[in-house]
Amino acid sequence: MALEMTGSYELPVAREKVWEALNDPEMLKRCIPGCEELERVADNELRALVVAKVGPVKAKFKGKVFLADLDPPAGYRISGEGDGGIAGFAKGGARVDLAETSVGTLLTYTAEAQIGGKLAQLGQRLVAGTAKKTADEFFQNFAAAMTETAG
Amino acid sequence: MNASTVTPIGAPVRRKEDKRFITGKGRYTDDLSRPGQAHAYFLRSPYAHARIRTIDTAAAAEMPGVVGVLTGRDLAQDGLGGLICGWMINSKDGSPMRAGAHPALAVDTVRYVGDHVAVVIAETLNLAKDAAAALAVEYEVLPAVPDLAVAQAQGAAQIHEAAPNNTVFEWELGDRAAVEAAFAQAAHVTEIDIVNNRLAPNPMEPRAAIGEYDAGDEAYTLWTTSQNPHVARLVLSAFVGLAPENKLRVIAPDVGGGFGSKIFIYAEETVCAWAAKKVGRPVKWTCERGEAFLCDAHGRDHVTKGRLALDAQGKILGFQVKTIANMGAYLSTFASCVPTYLYATLLSGQYAIPAIYCEVDAVYTNTAPVDAYRGAGRPEATFLVERIVDKAARELGIDPAEMRRRNFITAFPHQTPVIMCYDAGDYAASLDKALEMADYAGFPARRAEAERRGKLRGIGLSNYIEACGIAPSAAVGSLGAGVGLWESAEVRVNPTGNVEVLTGSHSHGQGHETTFAQLVSARLGIPIDQVTVIHGDTDKVQFGMGTYGSRSGAVGMSAIVKALDKVEAKAKKIAAHILEASEGDIEFKDGRFSVAGTDRGLAFAEVALNAYVAHKFPTSEIEPGLKEGAFYDPTNFTFPAGCHVCELEVDPETGTTEIVNWIAVDDFGTVINPMIVEGQVHGGIAQGVGQALMERVAYDGEGQLVTGSYMDYQMPRAEDFPAFKVGMTETRCPSNPLGMKGCGEAGAIAAPPAVINALADALGTQDISMPATPAKVWAIAQARVTRQAAE
Amino acid sequence: MTHVSMTVNGRAVSADVEPRMLLVQFLREKLLLTGTHVGCDTSQCGACVVQVDGAAVKSCTLLAVQADGCAVLTIEGLAPSGALHPMQEAFREHHGLQCGFCTPGMIMTAMDMVARLGPDLDEATIRENLDGNLCRCTGYHNIVKAVAAGARAMAPASAAAE
């Protein structure tokens, strides 16, 4: 099951600040819904532990997060894949672009997600909603945290 | 008709087995527990196609309560063979089918979502699941080919090295040149494209198994949800190599429905039996419904092009068929015979068709294996024949009933161009009776009335035929079967005159305990409660081929008749000695042996007692005891046939289809118990309607199963049906002693084309695919409304 | 482990259970009342229907601890040993079962239908109220007949109770 989502957020923070935050594991951990652990293991690779729920299936995903196509401070590609054991797997990624605006920064993203195994079997009707909600929550959390920083 | 009476053939005797089921005392496999049993959980592939790089079992093995963690490598190290497909099909060029290996646990590659990666055995199921979550499997994901339409294409990912282009065989049947000649003369050609949708069998009891190993006797016992425990034992012994047959007992206790899906020898049962010795504990596994959707063999899944050549009067001249059949990722136990010898051989339907040619490609995809499901090949054939005949009738402006009548086979025996020799039938009789019961003549008025209510009403016919009672062993052997398809029976008369009947057939809802006992009661003249039917245990019944293909009546009961003949013959000899008469003068009637023309006689029970006491006859001539066995091999298939009529209404505003009337007129030959037979018809119709309107197994582009629960796979419910009207016609089957044909699959075979033909009639288009869901029907109905408005 | 106590088929029972144990597992595995079946894992097939405090409940949707203190009735407790409840008798008489796996749930649902809607049930009502019970064998035809007949047979008893 693959699906795509897009969205954008206006942040009252300078683009460099946003870029820094997007590369800060602590910040990402705070913003990724259900993220219990996130640590950098290489320059552009992080190890993650995320609890996610799709419909009736709740699972702990052990996985990796990769940062690629780095173009500081204009954007990057963040992607991850998690192994949920008997629940199956989840993969996802997002292209994030940062543009300077009069207020601060416009963040736009195009994200995609894919699930397999029991997650797809039981959760397929719910996955679109769940993925959209997860992406929205992440960027909302991120926007809120950024706005806080600005305040 | 109560238990203490003699039950004649043809009586609606209430079922003997019901008492335990309605009081919660049934004994299904999951209801059983063995002392010290541990529980198995299978880790399944979340990918449709992947190489297994590593499986790290260390952490899982250390988890609380874990008894064992086993993988395909352990299985291979123990020298166990893979699962087999027991029917060899040769391609057109004479080459044997190309089957890939089918290990019970994957060794280095997984080929469908749900494929078996490892088994974790623990003190409880929850602990096994907890530990399975700690198994670390590293996959290298490979491109998957879940889509049948592109699986044979150049450049498609290869699923098995043994099968280039994912093609298992390219098979043909019939006379190509004769068919081409027929098309050359045709006044009209009707063409049809059909997708026969993939179905999940869904017996309400999920599969289950308990394996146990007795180290003292070095013998295994496997309790399992099987339709054919002896065949399971044979395969596990001779091919998997688990243990010799004399060291392996397979018991199939009460089984909650099968519909074909419990014929096959699956990975889980095999692993449970093997693992029991490995871990030194009984190992129990019960399939969850979600797992059943993933890995119980699915049914159907054909893509077909059909062409029918007709003369100007609607007489069929020739029929050409090309079918691509989905095998899934591995060849299941009988997968190869379903789209070939159980399909193309029925393409003549009820019609005299001079020339038929059929090509079938069997193709691997990264999906669950596909095998026999209620009807197995015959529903696919009937759907094609009954759809194309109906379409041709409409194209030629002939009434569909009249079209069928013009083409009926009317003289028997009739040799079709596709192997089968129909031995008996009266197709016009079934059609006439069905049309009368359906008030076919009154349909236009009902349609007009419905139209006034804003509903689109349609009527559809289905004149099905099937080949049951599979079949003479030599014949199926010559067609590639790996086994003979006879049946065995043993009739054990006890000294007090009651009887145990041991049968190699297996009942999983069909009511054998009643029907078989009814036959024995009628024949021996003893009350039915003095007859017990025993089945499903390889230690009790010597051998048997199990129940599928509507064979238990025509083949299984024929074996009982044969054994009863022997019992009667021996009992007559004994009676002759006791009554001091000549054997030829002994008559047996109404449970009494008597000397012809006298009032001297003995009750059946008296002869039974004498047989065991053995005081009054010379044991040098007649052995003591009264127990006889028989093996019955049929001389032909049997050919049940009939006519179903579906009348329905479509609501063009919502796309919902309501079946408002259903007529089933079937010719099953002799009927032993009409109550049970009608029940079989009802259930079959429901499954057929499910296929036509609701059910479909769907995979997404990556091979993920997206219809994996009852939330997404629509099962027929009580509200989806009207009360069915069932009628019978009868022509005796000449090839078996009782004249029986078989009734188990008829409804599932007849129903899908009846529904779709009725929808085509209601909607005025032939372009309707199964399942005809409300969304599809709504779109067609709306297009029709728009079209009519424009006209 | 959590301690639960309840009455099952009139008998007081108690046990220590894992908090995640379902009522159906408690009945089948702890009490060995295997007449209540599990046919799915999404609470849709209805093979596991029992009565909890007089109402039909899918015992796979309830944790055992949620039934603490309740009175549970299963198929085994419907009639005294050796006897048949009129609803059970109706399923036998009208051939309302084939493989028998869905039957306990069907009968318990039918009992609930009579309790809620009375003994005079027409075909449409029965079909609608069987929505939560799946059967793959019978095509429902004879189940509908059995429920109607069983309900009628229960009429004198319910009239006397009023």
Side-chain angles (χ1 to χ4, degrees), chain A residues 1 89 116-117 121-122 124-125, chain B residues 46-47 290 700 704 706 708 711-712:
Chain A
M1 291 302 295
F89 67 85
Q121 192 185 351
L122 287 177
Q124 63 100 6
R125 288 181 308 154
Chain B
Y47 297 101
D700 73 5
Q704 293 295 333
V706 294
M711 294 185 291
D712 298 298

Side-chain angles (χ1 to χ4, degrees), chain C:
Chain C
M1 288 287 179
T2 310
H3 193 74
V4 295
S5 303
M6 64 187 89
T7 308
V8 178
N9 300 333
R11 190 165 62 93
V13 296
S14 62
D16 290 322
V17 301
E18 266 195 285
R20 60 179 163 176
M21 178 174 258
L22 301 168
L23 177 60
V24 67
Q25 292 170 321
F26 180 73
L27 295 170
R28 289 179 56 80
E29 294 164 21
K30 292 275 179 190
L31 306 183
L32 303 180
L33 293 170
T34 54
T36 303
H37 297 146
V38 179
C40 77
D41 42 19
T42 50
S43 291
Q44 278 155 324
C45 78
C48 68
V49 172
V50 300
Q51 278 183 20
V52 176
D53 288 342
V57 164
K58 287 181 174 172
S59 60
C60 72
T61 29
L62 208 65
L63 295 167
V65 294
Q66 289 175 288
D68 190 40
C70 294
V72 177
L73 181 69
T74 73
I75 189 74
E76 290 94 342
L78 214 50
S81 185
L84 291 181
H85 185 278
M87 190 58 81
Q88 291 171 316
E89 180 58 44
F91 269 72
R92 199 186 69 87
E93 179 61 25
H94 294 277
H95 189 31
L97 62 148
Q98 289 180 23
C99 82
F101 194 79
C102 75
T103 311
M106 288 285 177
I107 290 175
M108 297 311 284
T109 297
M111 296 289 296
D112 185 62
M113 227 186 283
V114 178
R116 286 185 294 112
L117 306 169
D120 200 12
L121 300 169
D122 64 22
E123 186 187 332
T125 304
I126 295 168
R127 287 185 184 272
E128 188 189 337
N129 281 275
L130 285 176
D131 196 45
N133 292 73
L134 294 176
C135 168
R136 194 60 154 169
C137 293
T138 64
Y140 303 98
H141 181 103
N142 287 338
I143 292 177
V144 173
K145 276 165 66 178
V147 173
R152 271 196 308 277
M154 287 168 69
S158 51
E162 274 163 16

